[in-house]
Amino acid sequence: MKENQNPIEELNDLSSILAALKTTSSAPIFKTPLFYFDTLQDKVFEKLEGKPIIVVTKSPTWAVRLQQWFWQPSTAWAFSTMIMMMMVATFWFQKSTQKAAATFALHEEVHHYIANNLDEFDEELLAEYHHLQDSKHVKANLTIEELEHYLNAFMD
């Protein structure tokens, strides 16, 4: 900017389009009537007076209300925690049930093998087996005579 240049000349130097806007439009584009904003509030209240305000709202359906309730953070956390616990419990119980079934099948297989091949076993071996198994029907500390009596009763 030159030292003695006025602002209008400087505006012409920088942008002739902006300088032309100022010269072509000397009257304001938008005019409001005199004292418009002073009387605006009274005019609005005159129009509202005596007319009831009716607000129509549509009540949400049960599905929308359920969805809104479900997406609350506390509900979502509780539901997801419950699902995870159910999945872990199902996996854990299924695994333990399979293990118990396999153990039961193995014990049944051993008992059937012993019952079918009873004449091939030695009494001391059977006594040791029943001592290890801690059977409900046979006491762990059987004598050989008691074991023979039990085996004879079992075979009949």
Side-chain angles (χ1 to χ4, degrees), residues 15-35:
S15 174
S16 60
I17 296 172
L18 290 176
L21 284 177
K22 177 68 177 165
T23 58
T24 57
S25 171
S26 62
I29 297 173
F30 299 106
K31 287 185 178 180
T32 57
L34 284 175
F35 307 110

Side-chain angles (χ1 to χ4, degrees), residues 1 6 19 27-28 30 32 63 78 81-82 101 126 134 139-140:
M1 179 174 157
N6 72 19
F30 299 106
T32 57
T81 303
M82 185 176 61
L126 286 175
D134 195 26
K139 294 182 180 176

